[in-house]
Amino acid sequence: LLGIAVSPQFEADWTIYLYRTAPDGNQVVRAELDSLAATLGPLEPVVAGIPAAGNHNGGRIAFGPDGMLYIATGDAARPAVSQDPTSMAGKILRVTPDGAPAPGNPTEGPVWSLGHRNLQGAVLGPDGRLWTSEHGPQGGDEINRPEAGKNYGWPVITYGENYGGGAIGEGITAKAGLEQPVFQWTPSIAPSGLAFVKGERYGKAWQGNLLAGSLKFRYLARLDISGGRVVKEERLLPDLNARVRDVREGPDGFIYLLTDERNGRLLRLHPG
């Protein structure tokens, strides 16, 4: 299981969407929730045939304010496919809830943006736009705001060309026709799940602040967003000693962290 999203019409259809690796590739499926039995019904294919491998499967899904499903995929350990517009690997895909290419896509297919390496987080921001986290090859992990038809560089721009070992947010080399990240980490922190949080009920103005889990260094990053750019990183929970796989703000205003490995836990934290 790689990703999960709730139907935007959940109160009417009780449907859950799942992104998973199956024997014949990565796929998005959906199922109706039986709330009384707390079980899912039969899994129905939505999008199938996304290339899979032992790693680089990407795997986050999110519904946009347009009602379309955005699927963040990895390059399946085959970098060249990220630049192949006919492949669903190394892409952001945009489809209808039934899995058809969404109206307004830059091509007739499901591809929304290309040139991605291994997307690990996807969230809709306060601006209604998609924000993603992505693993670099040896450094240069990225935060992006993918746009329709844009190319985000992998593997045309590699670690050595694009991220010369500078400080956070520095050392990015531009190439014509390729987009630059909103933010990057060198060395790599292996960012994972993302969440925008507000927390106004606790007297803290978090609007525009992005949380990102670190798999490598086992902390929670808080990124200050201003004008669509990251202006500061604060590293929270440095003694957590657990890989942060996902982060969400709950309807109760608290922050939920999902950690993995043998000490996997679901943590509920005050936003302060």
Side-chain angles (χ1 to χ4, degrees):
L1 179 63
L2 301 168
I4 185 169
V6 175
S7 165
Q9 307 299 324
F10 181 76
E11 292 183 0
D13 62 26
W14 291 83
T15 298
I16 305 292
Y17 286 73
L18 307 171
Y19 186 24
R20 67 174 186 169
T21 301
D24 55 351
N26 291 326
Q27 59 183 222
V28 176
V29 297
R30 64 184 176 187
E32 186 174 331
L33 175 67
D34 183 334
S35 61
L36 296 179
T39 59
L40 287 176
L43 298 179
E44 176 189 357
V46 177
V47 176
I50 301 170
N55 56 11
H56 288 213
N57 289 308
R60 298 304 170 105
I61 55 177
F63 277 97
D66 55 4
M68 300 297 117
L69 180 63
Y70 292 79
I71 307 167
T73 74
D75 67 5
R78 299 192 294 274
V81 302
S82 293
Q83 292 294 320
D84 180 355
T86 67
S87 172
M88 290 190 287
K91 308 293 191 300
I92 300 289
L93 310 177
R94 179 174 173 265
V95 300
T96 69
D98 294 326
N105 279 1
T107 68
E108 294 182 355
V111 173
W112 176 254
S113 64
L114 70 161
H116 299 284
R117 183 175 182 268
N118 192 23
L119 292 148
Q120 292 287 310
V123 66
L124 274 296
D127 56 0
R129 290 179 54 185
L130 184 69
W131 293 64
T132 61
S133 64
E134 183 169 345
H135 289 186
Q138 300 175 34
D141 296 336
E142 297 180 354
I143 297 290
N144 285 301
R145 288 198 300 173
E147 297 183 35
K150 297 293 181 68
N151 188 328
Y152 290 83
W154 175 254
V156 178
I157 295 179
T158 65
Y159 170 76
E161 292 178 287
N162 204 38
Y163 309 105
I168 289 174
E170 296 179 354
I172 299 176
T173 300
K175 280 196 172 184
L178 303 179
E179 301 302 309
Q180 296 300 305
V182 172
F183 186 75
Q184 64 100 0
W185 286 273
T186 299
S188 170
I189 72 161
S192 191
L194 300 174
F196 277 95
V197 295
K198 298 179 288 294
E200 286 97 339
R201 72 184 68 190
Y202 300 106
K204 201 168 179 65
W206 281 57
Q207 182 73 30
N209 282 252
L210 179 62
L211 299 182
S214 169
L215 296 171
K216 183 176 181 180
F217 292 117
R218 305 180 179 210
Y219 69 86
L220 184 67
R222 184 178 69 86
L223 304 178
D224 283 343
I225 308 294
S226 178
R229 309 297 297 178
V230 176
V231 296
K232 177 185 177 183
E233 179 196 19
E234 180 183 5
R235 299 191 172 190
L236 308 174
L237 307 177
D239 299 321
L240 184 61
N241 193 33
R243 288 157 46 101
V244 180
R245 178 60 65 179
D246 206 359
V247 56
R248 303 286 176 97
E249 183 180 49
D252 55 7
F254 289 102
I255 307 304
Y256 289 79
L257 295 186
L258 180 65
T259 69
D260 64 19
E261 298 181 298
R262 284 178 292 181
N263 59 345
R265 293 167 288 172
L266 183 62
L267 307 180
R268 181 171 177 261
L269 305 172
H270 188 287

